[in-house]
Amino acid sequence: MSFYVVVGAGPVGRETARLLSEEGHEVVLTSRSIGSNVLPNVRTIQADATDASELSRICRGADAIFMCAMAAYDRWPTDFFPIIDGTVRAAEAVGAKLIVLGNLYGYGENADSPLRCDLPLNPTSRKGTARTIMWQRAVRADVPALEIRSSDYLGHGAISYFSLIALPSIIDGKPTAFIGDLDATHAWSFTRDVASTLVAAASYKGEWDRAFHVPSQYASPRELIQKTAAMLAREVSGIRSYSASEMESLGMHEAVEMSYLFESPLLVDAFDTEALLGVKASSLEEMIADTLRDHL
């Protein structure tokens, strides 16, 4: 069995730690705010990933470090870099492999769909640029690195455009608004499938310093809203799309920058992940049910 450190105690970090412990590995889950993250057979240690010295001490003897930490969404271009730098330096100090939780932002607005994991990164947003620089820092490390790239999250506790913008209105049975083209097919990643991909990546025997895509399910925003409402036995009284001016007036500045993700079909090629890591996507119904766990 191996020793793993999971940096970041969000929904994906916690699930990754849980899955690793169930496989019999020694696992440490670390975050600046551990809170009530108590998991069977997982040690929790409060620590700041920007402190490479402290993180190195925690990671001594680790086979791999999972970088699942998040920065405040509106502060990615500033706050993410010290986090990835501290984690990379810790991995180099202890000789641990590095597995980074990433997303699709780095491909940019002009990338062909379906997105392939071997496409060059060509970001067209500040957040995409931040994610690209993070991966470049990781792949330049003196240890092997992998990046696991997911699309927008579904799952219990996940914070995403869907959970923030559409879900509250669906739960309350109110008219629902979202962003982009409501009928454009979109990839949705289940937090549990993201964690399963991270865990499977730790055992990957092929060439590292590459990316894998999380196997995802597809639905347009309109379809997802309707399926979610149906699972809650709610009536959908109206679905519309916010305009850019509405988003700005409502303070949704970050959504304006990233709305291109929802303005045309977003498809993800996860063939390598399915073939080489053995991970497949859960059903969309399971994803929705887990998202609504506290409301069913």
Side-chain angles (χ1 to χ4, degrees):
M1 293 297 102
S2 300
F3 170 39
Y4 295 119
V5 176
V6 180
V7 179
V12 172
R14 292 196 305 271
E15 180 68 7
T16 300
R18 186 187 69 81
L19 291 175
L20 290 168
S21 70
E22 286 188 351
E23 291 186 354
H25 301 294
E26 180 184 355
V27 184
V28 167
L29 176 64
T30 181
S31 172
R32 285 179 296 182
S33 178
I34 287 296
S36 60
N37 288 295
V38 178
L39 296 168
N41 303 313
V42 173
R43 284 191 293 141
T44 57
I45 300 176
Q46 185 170 350
D48 189 335
T50 65
D51 186 341
S53 177
E54 175 66 6
L55 189 58
S56 298
R57 184 189 64 78
I58 295 169
C59 295
R60 191 172 298 121
D63 296 277
I65 301 172
F66 295 82
M67 210 306 282
C68 301
M70 286 296 296
Y73 197 56
D74 61 342
R75 294 186 59 83
W76 279 20
T78 55
D79 291 4
F80 246 147
F81 300 139
I83 293 172
I84 189 65
D85 187 61
T87 307
V88 169
R89 288 166 59 197
E92 291 176 324
V94 303
K97 292 180 178 179
L98 184 62
I99 303 172
V100 178
L101 172 59
N103 66 7
L104 307 177
Y105 291 10
Y107 295 115
E109 187 173 359
N110 302 312
D112 293 331
S113 187
L115 299 173
R116 301 190 322 274
C117 56
D118 61 348
L119 285 175
L121 297 179
N122 183 28
T124 52
S125 64
R126 293 178 301 120
K127 292 181 184 59
T129 299
R131 280 293 189 182
T132 298
I133 293 172
M134 288 173 67
W135 173 235
Q136 290 171 340
R137 175 68 179 96
V139 82
R140 288 198 309 268
D142 294 333
V143 295
L146 294 174
E147 184 168 55
I148 306 305
R149 296 173 184 161
S150 72
S151 190
D152 293 89
Y153 286 166
L154 293 176
H156 186 257
I159 298 175
S160 65
Y161 285 120
F162 180 74
S163 67
L164 292 173
I165 298 174
L167 188 56
S169 296
I170 300 171
I171 292 170
D172 291 340
K174 296 179 178 179
T176 302
F178 197 60
I179 59 177
D181 182 347
L182 296 175
D183 297 303
T185 301
H186 194 84
W188 304 94
S189 298
F190 189 18
T191 50
R192 292 185 180 181
D193 294 340
V194 180
S196 294
T197 307
L198 287 161
V199 171
S203 301
Y204 178 54
K205 303 301 183 186
E207 186 175 348
W208 282 50
D209 296 333
R210 58 159 296 171
F212 284 101
H213 287 158
V214 175
S216 303
Q217 291 289 358
Y218 296 96
S220 70
R222 189 187 307 277
E223 290 171 331
L224 182 59
I225 291 168
Q226 291 171 335
K227 286 179 179 290
T228 302
M231 192 168 289
L232 288 167
R234 302 284 199 275
E235 292 291 335
V236 181
S237 56
I239 305 173
R240 69 181 186 89
S241 181
Y242 283 119
S243 67
S245 60
E246 282 181 302
M247 287 190 280
E248 288 286 6
S249 66
L250 292 170
M252 298 162 55
H253 311 296
E254 309 303 320
V256 174
E257 178 188 35
M258 304 310 303
S259 61
Y260 77 84
L261 292 165
F262 296 93
E263 290 169 356
S264 59
L266 179 65
L267 309 178
V268 179
D269 182 347
F271 176 81
D272 277 5
T273 307
E274 296 180 359
L276 300 177
L277 302 186
V279 179
K280 297 186 182 300
S282 301
S283 70
L284 184 61
E285 289 70 24
E286 184 178 355
M287 297 181 187
I288 296 172
D290 193 68
T291 303
L292 298 174
R293 190 194 307 170
D294 295 334
H295 305 280
L296 292 175

